[in-house]
């Protein structure tokens, strides 16, 4: 058997093996939201719902940014021809950075929200309190430290990557104490793993 025949046998064997792989290992997206089921924290999202990286419905800020991207427009709060209200440009309370389970690092998908916060800070000479939160999995002590680290990591991006004065930010951790959703469901827990922004008055 020459080398050419041996190569063809290897190719056909590989094709045969691939054809026998179970569909269980295929990338499936039951609710058609663009997030594979294995990573989808909200597996039954209604059709055409804008979702975050974890498959859950997007917050108003993320929806606005994604809509702007889809239409080719940008979040320009100085423009006289806006498709959104000035409250959208200047209301920071709807900006939320979400985190993966037991992780303090900011997921790349959340930088859209941070870009919104950057625009807000450039338009407003204010200081912010960054409030970190967790779900209820783990000990209260661990979750307090995790919530604090999440807020510190958001501050680090705003300071090191966006160039803001660190004195504009106060960082606190709330741990498990202030959930916004039911911790008994995976969807609720994913919404509780977050950092929120509060304007200091």
């Amino acid at each position: 058997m020459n080398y050419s025949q041996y190569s063809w046998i290897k190719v056909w064997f590989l094709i045969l093996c691939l054809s026998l792989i179970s569909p269980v290992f295929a990338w499936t997206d039951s609710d058609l939201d663009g997030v594979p089921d294995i990573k989808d924290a909200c597996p039954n999202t209604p059709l055409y719902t804008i979702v975050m990286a974890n498959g859950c419905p997007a917050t108003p800020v993320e929806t606005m940014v994604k809509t702007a991207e889809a239409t080719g427009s940008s979040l320009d709060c100085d423009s006289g021809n806006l498709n959104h209200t000035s409250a959208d440009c200047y209301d920071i309370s709807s900006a939320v950075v979400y985190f993966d389970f037991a992780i303090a690092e900011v997921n790349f998908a959340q930088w859209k929200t941070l870009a919104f916060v950057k625009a807000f800070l450039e338009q407003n000479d204010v200081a912010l309190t960054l409030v970190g939160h967790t779900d209820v999995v783990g000990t209260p002590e661990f979750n307090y430290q995790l919530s604090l680290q999440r807020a510190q990591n958001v501050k680090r991006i705003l300071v090191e990557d966006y160039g803001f004065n660190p004195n504009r930010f106060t960082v606190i951790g709330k741990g498990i104490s202030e959930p916004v959703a039911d911790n008994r469901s995976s969807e609720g827990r994913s919404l509780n793993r977050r950092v929120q922004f509060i304007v200091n008055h």
Side-chain angles (χ1 to χ4, degrees):
M1 182 181 299
N2 63 33
Y3 180 76
S4 177
Q5 289 174 323
Y6 180 69
S7 296
W8 276 109
I9 290 172
K10 286 195 329 187
V11 169
W12 282 110
F13 182 73
L14 178 61
I15 292 171
L16 176 64
C17 289
L18 291 175
S19 67
L20 297 176
I21 292 177
S22 168
V24 170
F25 296 105
W27 188 73
T28 55
D29 179 16
S30 301
D31 56 1
L32 304 177
D33 61 358
V35 178
D37 290 349
I38 195 168
K39 294 186 175 183
D40 201 335
C42 304
N44 299 312
T45 307
L47 201 58
Y48 306 119
T49 300
I50 296 177
V51 298
M52 300 179 296
N54 66 358
C56 291
T59 64
V61 171
E62 289 167 322
T63 301
M64 181 175 63
V65 171
K66 287 183 180 181
T67 301
E69 288 177 344
T71 59
S73 60
S74 61
L75 191 64
D76 181 6
C77 295
D78 288 331
S79 172
N81 183 19
L82 296 176
N83 292 325
H84 46 271
T85 66
S86 59
D88 291 330
C89 287
Y90 303 115
D91 180 15
I92 199 69
S93 64
S94 60
V96 181
V97 174
Y98 293 99
F99 292 81
D100 294 328
F101 172 68
I103 298 295
E105 287 73 31
V106 178
N107 188 300
F108 184 72
Q110 298 301 308
W111 281 57
K112 292 177 181 178
T113 301
L114 293 176
F116 176 84
V117 174
K118 175 180 182 283
F120 173 85
L121 289 168
E122 288 172 343
Q123 297 293 325
N124 298 273
D125 185 20
V126 297
L128 295 179
T129 297
L130 314 181
V131 187
H133 303 272
T134 67
D135 58 29
V136 294
V137 180
T139 66
E141 296 79 13
F142 170 81
N143 280 311
Y144 169 74
Q145 290 300 325
L146 179 60
S147 67
L148 189 60
Q149 289 172 359
R150 286 173 172 170
Q152 288 169 338
N153 285 340
V154 169
K155 176 182 176 178
R156 180 181 52 78
I157 292 171
L158 293 171
V159 172
E160 295 180 9
D161 292 282
Y162 290 149
F164 291 109
N165 186 328
N167 294 329
R168 293 182 72 177
F169 308 106
T170 302
V171 172
I172 61 174
K174 292 284 190 175
I176 65 174
S177 64
E178 295 183 4
V180 292
D182 191 344
N183 273 301
R184 291 175 294 183
S185 70
S186 60
E187 177 183 352
R189 290 191 296 274
S190 70
L191 294 174
N192 289 331
R193 300 190 293 263
R194 69 198 193 279
V195 165
Q196 294 175 289
F197 303 87
I198 299 173
V199 176
N200 297 345
H201 294 291

